């Protein structure tokens, strides 16, 4: 689950966007390095993103693609839960891993989509 949002120019930094989000909700909101995908910024360093956590299983991260465009994507913020229920990035997977991932995705799809929609609407208020 991923989307691109145009943001107003007054919220074109992670700090200003974080301050705005904190006025809108009581969810945990922080600026962290993108260790989940390892996104690299223009300087060759690990990119920072805005993380909004709804729970240990549901969160979104927002990072700037360009000056006024945010890429918002769902992820599992808890590292242990992410290891079990997150996206597999292994090059080669066994049949059991493929079947297990399909079952897991079908069971979690509804709740993850609901959480993503709710948190995306929160960020979209800055659009």
């Amino acid at each position: 689950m991923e989307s691109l949002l145009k943001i107003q120019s007054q919220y074109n930094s992670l700090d200003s966007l974080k301050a705005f989000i904190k006025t809108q909700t009581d969810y945990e909101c922080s600026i962290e390095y993108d260790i989940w995908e390892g996104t690299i910024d223009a300087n060759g360093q690990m990119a920072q993103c805005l993380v909004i956590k709804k729970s240990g299983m549901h969160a979104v991260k927002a990072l700037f693609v360009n000056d006024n465009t945010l890429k918002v994507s769902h992820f599992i913020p808890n590292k242990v839960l992410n290891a079990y229920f997150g996206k597999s990035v292994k090059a080669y997977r066994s049949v059991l891993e493929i079947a297990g991932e399909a079952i897991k995705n079908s069971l979690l799809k509804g709740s993850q989509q609901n959480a993503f929609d709710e948190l995306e609407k929160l960020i979209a208020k800055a659009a």
Side-chain angles (χ1 to χ4, degrees), residues 41 47 60-61 90-91:
D41 65 6
V60 293
K61 63 181 174 131
K90 292 169 64 176

Side-chain angles (χ1 to χ4, degrees), residues 91-105:
Y92 301 103
R93 295 181 292 168
S94 70
V95 174
L96 290 176
E97 288 174 319
I98 294 170
E101 184 174 1
I103 293 168
K104 172 204 52 139
N105 287 341

Side-chain angles (χ1 to χ4, degrees), residues 105-117:
N105 287 341
S106 65
L107 293 174
L108 295 177
K109 178 72 174 165
S111 64
Q112 287 180 339
Q113 185 66 48
N114 290 341
F116 176 75
D117 291 341

Side-chain angles (χ1 to χ4, degrees), residues 5-127:
L5 298 173
K6 290 274 188 196
I7 298 295
Q8 295 177 14
S9 60
Q10 64 190 20
Y11 304 119
N12 66 353
S13 74
L14 291 176
D15 292 324
S16 61
L17 188 59
K18 177 184 171 186
F20 173 75
I21 296 295
K22 282 194 175 262
T23 64
Q24 300 295 314
T25 187
D26 59 347
Y27 293 143
E28 185 180 337
C29 183
S30 61
I31 297 174
E32 299 178 22
Y33 288 102
D34 187 10
I35 60 172
W36 296 273
E37 289 183 15
T39 308
I40 304 298
D41 65 6
N43 299 326
Q45 303 294 319
M46 188 173 286
Q48 288 187 326
C49 59
L50 180 68
V51 174
I52 305 169
K53 295 180 187 177
K54 182 176 180 181
S55 67
M57 274 297 280
H58 303 294
V60 293
K61 63 181 174 131
L63 54 106
F64 282 97
V65 177
N66 58 34
D67 290 340
N68 291 335
T69 305
L70 271 179
K71 176 182 164 186
V72 180
S73 56
H74 178 273
F75 74 102
I76 300 172
N78 184 307
K79 290 176 179 64
V80 173
L81 293 175
N82 190 44
Y84 287 110
F85 300 112
K87 278 185 171 180
S88 176
V89 293
K90 292 169 64 176
Y92 301 103
R93 295 181 292 168
S94 70
V95 174
L96 290 176
E97 288 174 319
I98 294 170
E101 184 174 1
I103 293 168
K104 172 204 52 139
N105 287 341
S106 65
L107 293 174
L108 295 177
K109 178 72 174 165
S111 64
Q112 287 180 339
Q113 185 66 48
N114 290 341
F116 176 75
D117 291 341
E118 180 182 340
L119 294 171
E120 182 187 32
K121 286 178 190 173
L122 180 65
I123 295 173
K125 291 179 182 177

